[in-house]
Amino acid sequence: MKKNNSRIILTILIVMVFTAVILVSVYAHPVPYPPSPTCSPLKTPTPGPIPSNWKDTGAGGTSGTFTSSGGLDSHNGRTAAGNDDQDPSVRIYNGEGWVEHPVYFQPTALEWSNVEEHVLYASDNINNMVLFTPDPGLNIGAWLPIGHPGSGLGEFINPNGIFSHQSGDFYVVDTGNNRVQYFDGMTWNILATPQDAIYMVDICIHNDVIYITDYIGNCIWYRGLADITWLRLADITYLWSPSYLDINNQGEIFVLSRVHSTDGFMKNIVKYSGGIFSSYVTTGSGPAYIGNNASSEEIGINDHDRLFYRDPMTGIIYKELCDINKIPAFNLNGTMFPLLPAQTDVFLNVGSDIDIINIIAYKSCPFSSIGGDGVFPLDFGENLFPVTCTAETGLPREYTVHVTRELSDNALLSDISINSVTIDGFSPDIFTYTDISYSYDHLSRILTAVAQDENATVLGTGTIELNVGENIVIITVIAQNTINIQPYVLNITGEAEEPSSSPTPSPSPTPTPTPTPTPTPTPTPSPSPSLTPSPSPSVSPSPSPTGSVEPSPTPEPSATPESTKTPDPTASASISPTPPPVNPSLQPSTLQPSPTPIDAGLVKYRDWRNILIILALGIGGGALGYVGVAMIRKSIKKKGKRPDKD
């Protein structure tokens, strides 16, 4: 009996521990489930957004429109859409239209990889295949099958929705086998699905919560990845035959469904946010409307929470306009400048040698437009470049790029010229020049200098007057920054005037011919003394007995023949010989003029220094003469006194 009681107690304890473990496992990892909606009676659906927020993307391709469903997904600025008509293709939206890439299968759903760039997955519910391509060019031969027809692992019947998780797992809704398979990179696995699910179509995972649409069950199943219990999201007005769905970054669910209203079952795109269902795109034609036919068309959310959807009535894919107008970063001359969310100004300092700026702006939304980027010249100092990012809705946002170019420190010359001729041996980095000379008659020169930097200041140029001998000329270059200053020194020699080729005439006495033997002339009595001065005898040439006159020194041009002094009345009579003959070539009228002689033409003074010397000598001579006269007078006085002493 005691043993039985012990066994009963032990059994009860084991059951209690097991129950506690189950409870802890359930409540220790809460899942952020969406709030359960209130299932209200039949009501009129809430209207969707206004049509101006939507855009016709243009069909593109050869067929002109998307003739049937074929998948739709957008990621990293690339949107892919499938077309499963007789000429199947996958088309990529480039912001203006669609570029077509033929494929050899019938695309049903498309999904970009969240892990590997350019990898695109596709399902084909006609051929019961799952494929992928790593080729960014989407060449037809680059598609590889990873799922085949059948019911085993990695086999599919009527595969539909697909989803790529950031963990690297890839999920596929295997509708015909009423299950979900996922590929972990190595093998295919079966995901535990709701037992009550009837016809699963699409799958999406957000914040580790799985959402699966049930087309016939009229609901959305959801649970946490780590949970085993599925919950049901349903509404008798908004969820009828839900097919494809997607979820934005805020956790809002968009699902293609029929809405049960007083007008009947109308196809809508339904939005579920904060526990409330509403119609986001209603039945109609054109942007912001969707045709009310039986086709099940896929929808997609791009990276900026904007919706794409295909209208089966028009065969056109419509896109919700993006109102994002932000620039997250600039590239300035190869340097990245990330911006804070509210930042609109960016600053860059460059050296004086940088004369251009290359502005590249990166946009958050691929459908926004940038104005004001490109390559621009730079002035010294601050340069302002406005850049505008305009959202797809037309909303602009202004940015300003501030580029400050330092003032130039260049204080070098590119040329030094005198009278437009570059000086010999000039080089910008040679600052002293000595071998420069000019003749006396070219001492006035025009000096020019050209700075390497047009913003530098050059001083010391223009017309220069050179003296005979050494002349120091300094050219000063002041850089734009006023800090760097460079002098260039020119040592220019002005050469003295060269002497003329013929000797300079100098004063000389009246030339006298060399005497030759002649008969003694008969003396002629001189005239009686008279107070009236007699005229000077005229000089006329007289040939010598030999018929020539011996050359004599050239007389000073301005000199005249010395006149005969006026006879002293007290002088005795004397006999004056006949003046000697003079060579006609030595007449004053034939001589060139010269400066007026000083002191009867005996001395010629050329400059003030000689004049000063002469004045000094004259004064000194006068002083000596005065002293001499004084001494003589004193001596005479002494001699006159001596007889008195005797």
Side-chain angles (χ1 to χ4, degrees), residues 167-205:
S167 65
D169 293 344
F170 169 60
Y171 295 80
V172 180
V173 177
D174 188 1
T175 304
N177 291 315
N178 198 29
R179 64 184 179 180
V180 175
Q181 296 190 65
Y182 67 95
F183 186 73
D184 60 9
M186 298 295 293
T187 60
W188 284 99
N189 304 274
I190 302 295
L191 178 70
T193 53
Q195 294 182 353
D196 296 332
I198 303 173
Y199 194 90
M200 294 179 289
V201 176
D202 200 8
I203 182 172
C204 188
I205 302 176

Side-chain angles (χ1 to χ4, degrees), residues 18-323:
F18 182 77
T19 303
V21 170
I22 293 176
L23 292 174
V24 169
S25 65
V26 171
Y27 292 103
H29 302 86
V31 177
Y33 297 134
S36 299
T38 302
C39 295
S40 57
L42 198 65
K43 55 184 176 293
T44 302
T46 304
I50 58 175
S52 61
N53 290 336
W54 295 83
K55 174 183 178 180
D56 177 353
T57 63
T62 57
S63 61
T65 59
F66 290 87
T67 58
S68 60
S69 64
L72 183 64
D73 189 48
S74 180
H75 181 61
N76 286 344
R78 303 181 75 194
T79 300
N83 194 36
D84 65 352
D85 58 7
Q86 294 181 353
D87 297 314
S89 65
V90 172
R91 299 172 183 174
I92 304 297
Y93 184 64
N94 61 11
E96 299 295 333
W98 296 88
V99 180
E100 190 167 44
H101 302 273
V103 295
Y104 61 86
F105 57 91
Q106 302 288 329
T108 301
L110 296 173
E111 178 79 6
W112 291 104
S113 172
N114 276 316
V115 178
E116 300 176 84
E117 189 73 16
H118 303 304
V119 172
L120 181 63
Y121 297 99
S123 64
D124 178 355
N125 63 6
I126 303 299
N127 300 298
N128 298 316
M129 299 170 60
V130 177
L131 309 94
F132 83 101
T133 178
D135 180 21
L138 301 178
N139 293 312
I140 188 171
W143 287 94
L144 305 174
I146 55 174
H148 304 276
S151 299
L153 284 176
E155 296 178 347
F156 301 87
I157 296 177
N158 189 20
N160 279 284
I162 52 182
F163 183 81
S164 174
H165 191 255
Q166 61 264 26
S167 65
D169 293 344
F170 169 60
Y171 295 80
V172 180
V173 177
D174 188 1
T175 304
N177 291 315
N178 198 29
R179 64 184 179 180
V180 175
Q181 296 190 65
Y182 67 95
F183 186 73
D184 60 9
M186 298 295 293
T187 60
W188 284 99
N189 304 274
I190 302 295
L191 178 70
T193 53
Q195 294 182 353
D196 296 332
I198 303 173
Y199 194 90
M200 294 179 289
V201 176
D202 200 8
I203 182 172
C204 188
I205 302 176
H206 179 74
N207 287 342
D208 288 338
V209 177
I210 307 173
Y211 299 87
I212 300 176
T213 57
D214 189 340
Y215 186 78
I216 295 179
N218 298 323
C219 68
I220 298 174
W221 297 98
Y222 66 97
R223 72 167 175 86
L225 281 173
D227 297 332
I228 59 175
T229 303
W230 286 91
L231 302 176
R232 187 171 180 268
L233 184 63
D235 188 276
I236 62 173
T237 299
Y238 290 98
L239 289 182
W240 288 91
S241 303
S243 56
Y244 291 97
L245 84 162
D246 208 344
I247 303 175
N248 66 16
N249 293 322
Q250 286 72 43
E252 297 173 326
I253 301 173
F254 296 85
V255 57
L256 189 63
S257 176
R258 290 190 177 275
V259 173
H260 189 194
S261 67
T262 55
D263 296 328
F265 291 94
M266 311 298 291
K267 183 179 284 187
N268 278 210
I269 295 177
V270 174
K271 177 182 178 181
Y272 179 73
S273 177
I276 299 174
F277 282 97
S278 63
S279 290
Y280 198 70
V281 175
T282 57
T283 303
S285 178
Y289 299 99
I290 190 168
N292 189 34
N293 68 351
S295 299
S296 180
E297 305 295 337
E298 191 169 1
I299 65 174
I301 299 289
N302 65 17
D303 299 323
H304 307 286
D305 292 341
R306 297 303 181 266
L307 184 66
F308 282 81
Y309 73 92
R310 187 198 317 262
D311 184 353
M313 298 296 291
T314 61
I316 295 175
I317 293 179
Y318 295 103
K319 173 188 171 301
E320 189 176 14
L321 296 180
C322 181
D323 59 357

Side-chain angles (χ1 to χ4, degrees), residues 521-545:
T522 302
T524 302
S526 59
S528 299
S530 173
L531 294 178
T532 303
S534 61
S536 300
S538 61
V539 179
S540 61
S542 176
S544 64

